[in-house]
Amino acid sequence: MNNMAVATATSEAKPKNMTNEPKAEQLIKFYDRLRGERQNFETYWQSLHDYFYIEASDVNRSYAAGNEISAAYLWDSTTLEAGDVLASGFMNYLTPPTSKWFSLRAKNQELKENKVVMRYLEEVRDQVNYTLNKSNFYNQMITSYKSSGIYGTSAMIEEEDIEDDARCYSLHIKQVLLVEDGRGRVSEYYIEFEYTASQAESRWGREKLSSKMLEELNAENRKEIKHKFLLYISNRYDRDIRKTDKKNLPIQACWIDVEGKRTIDEGGYNEFPAFCHRFDKRPYIPWGYSPAMKALPFARILNAIAKTNLRAMMKHTDPPIAVPDNAFIMPFNANPRAVNYYNKSKMDSSKDIFAFANFGDPQVGMTAIEYYSQKVKALMYNDVFLAFDGITKQMNNPEVMEKINEKMTMLGPAVGRYIAEMLNPVVIRTIGILARRGKLPPPPDELINSPEYEIDFVSQLAQAQRRSELNSLVTGLSIVGQMAQFTPDVLDKISPDKVVEETWS
């Protein structure tokens, strides 16, 4: 439930830990404490990265550009494929780029059936869809889906853009530190950025830079050294609601030079620009838990088996051999193409050089690989998004859709959090940006006094979550239909208009 126009916020009581002007040193101190609390997660995230997401930046390691991708842990690509299928499945079934995945409707019951209001909200929805399609929203969302499925947490920022109206940035998990409010919602973001002195100058101007960065800019042999900056975003509790300048907007944004421990710039937003999704959630912990965390033990076993099985297949293809010792003995070696010297006088062999049997059984290994691959894929919900693989020719269309919807309901909690924590705020943010840029049609008079609206998500994955409610309705109608054969009066309790509305909403 939101307001189409920019709402005038009411001033709230200021928390004890907040000051009128956020002090850089206080924020940096709190930021350092949050990083310390996150260290245990970082170690685990790095393990998930090594098995599921090697193309992303490392979490707690640093490499020169181009050297960061390492597949040293991998002897099977199932885990890499599983992450891609999960992300693509969410994209295609929750926010498909080729179709409309949300709609708008008036909150006021009297206006829901008003054709003028309905037409206006459809125009607004179409403009939002157009903006998201021409921006980089879908490119960034696929990264967000994958990060959430592997690390359990994903974060994204939506900024205003001169050319595309809106521009999205998916943040790597190591860039973001989160603070929750008392209701378990992310209320504060600490986002790390690195800029060279010249990049910082282009963003804020030379007068905002520290003396160290100015020295780098003026040096004859200038080096492109990265400096750490911190973006702090939170609600602004102390502001003058009569003013609309950037220091009195409802959301505050503070840029801090971490090395210089000083505020470089302070601004604000009308809507919260940062969004965070947690795939699974534990109370009092801001970070989410992912399907990949459950699949990690099977991923390790799978790769160990794949490595062992590769050795067995190599032995079959290029087995170790035995040759006469010729006066010296070497340590036993059963690797492929290994050479082992033996004392011919003590062995009964018809050949001087021969391959000896220590091959193993690759087929046993292949069976184990298939078993653990299926375990990983199932835990990563690949069977949900690849539901058509289990469909037989004997199934008719209703059975097919029932099978797919049944599998998709397994994702109910994650989908609910995606809608509440990311997609709903993205639509609100985009509408706000378009309204300020004059890209929305003028609202009808009917909405002037009651401008609140609701967002309905109509993609296949969102609709699958309502399937159980619809099944209850169908079951109830079936029972009433049977009763009506003996007591026709029971049909008076059924409103056909409401049934149709509930079925198609």
Side-chain angles (χ1 to χ4, degrees), residues 186-189 233-235 251 270-275 425 429:
V186 178
S187 58
E188 298 178 43
Y189 289 80
I233 301 174
S234 73
N235 291 302
I251 310 300
N270 288 284
E271 309 87 18
F272 223 101
F275 327 111
R429 172 73 171 151

Side-chain angles (χ1 to χ4, degrees), residues 93 383-392 400-401 403-404 460:
Y93 288 103
D383 57 332
V384 175
F385 296 119
L386 299 177
F388 285 102
D389 289 349
I391 293 171
T392 65
V400 169
M401 295 311 300
K403 177 181 174 64
I404 293 174
Q460 187 171 347

Side-chain angles (χ1 to χ4, degrees), residues 203-408:
R203 180 165 190 133
W204 295 293
R206 184 175 285 256
E207 66 278 2
K208 295 287 186 74
L209 303 186
S210 65
S211 57
K212 181 178 180 180
M213 285 186 275
L214 289 175
E215 290 177 3
E216 292 177 14
L217 287 174
N218 297 327
E220 293 184 4
N221 298 322
R222 189 171 70 184
K223 296 181 180 180
E224 295 297 316
I225 301 174
K226 293 283 187 179
H227 299 273
K228 186 176 291 185
F229 295 87
L230 185 65
L231 172 60
Y232 172 72
I233 301 174
S234 73
N235 291 302
R236 179 175 274 127
Y237 295 98
D238 191 2
R239 66 189 182 95
D240 188 343
I241 62 175
R242 297 167 296 180
K243 298 181 180 180
T244 58
D245 60 289
K246 65 180 184 179
K247 290 190 177 182
N248 284 287
L249 293 175
I251 310 300
Q252 66 170 322
C254 185
W255 282 95
I256 297 170
D257 174 6
V258 176
E259 295 175 359
K261 295 185 178 180
R262 62 193 189 90
T263 301
I264 286 188
D265 190 24
E266 186 173 2
Y269 301 92
N270 288 284
E271 309 87 18
F272 223 101
F275 327 111
C276 176
H277 174 255
R278 282 76 61 87
F279 201 100
D280 199 0
K281 186 72 176 65
R282 185 186 296 178
Y284 313 116
I285 296 178
W287 307 104
Y289 293 81
S290 70
M293 292 179 179
K294 300 176 185 178
L296 183 58
F298 293 112
R300 288 176 169 144
I301 295 172
L302 172 62
N303 281 276
I305 293 173
K307 182 178 180 180
T308 302
N309 203 54
L310 177 62
R311 291 167 56 86
M313 290 188 290
M314 291 171 66
K315 288 179 182 181
H316 275 267
T317 306
D318 192 5
I321 61 173
V323 299
D325 58 337
N326 287 338
F328 62 92
I329 304 295
M330 298 294 290
F332 179 79
N333 190 343
N335 286 314
R337 197 179 285 186
V339 177
N340 294 273
Y341 296 93
Y342 68 92
N343 191 321
K344 188 177 180 181
S345 63
K346 297 182 179 180
M347 291 187 66
D348 183 15
S349 175
S350 58
K351 299 179 180 178
D352 290 336
I353 301 176
F354 60 93
F356 60 90
N358 182 28
F359 303 146
D361 189 349
Q363 188 56 46
V364 173
M366 292 302 297
T367 302
I369 288 173
E370 180 64 24
Y371 172 78
Y372 286 106
S373 293
Q374 292 301 320
K375 284 287 187 182
V376 170
K377 291 177 180 179
L379 288 170
M380 294 293 286
Y381 295 101
N382 284 193
D383 57 332
V384 175
F385 296 119
L386 299 177
F388 285 102
D389 289 349
I391 293 171
T392 65
K393 293 182 180 180
Q394 289 75 27
M395 293 183 180
N396 53 36
N397 283 341
E399 290 176 329
V400 169
M401 295 311 300
E402 184 65 30
K403 177 181 174 64
I404 293 174
N405 285 323
E406 180 183 350
K407 285 181 173 291
M408 286 187 176

Side-chain angles (χ1 to χ4, degrees), residues 49 52-58 68-70 80 83-84 146 150:
H49 164 277
F52 292 90
Y53 205 179
I54 61 172
E55 68 271 27
S57 299
D58 284 274
E68 68 274 15
I69 297 179
S70 173
L80 302 180
D84 290 334
K146 190 167 183 179
I150 292 172

Side-chain angles (χ1 to χ4, degrees), residues 6-22:
V6 178
T8 301
T10 58
S11 185
E12 300 183 27
K14 181 174 61 178
K16 294 181 180 180
N17 63 334
M18 293 292 292
T19 58
N20 290 337
E21 291 289 332

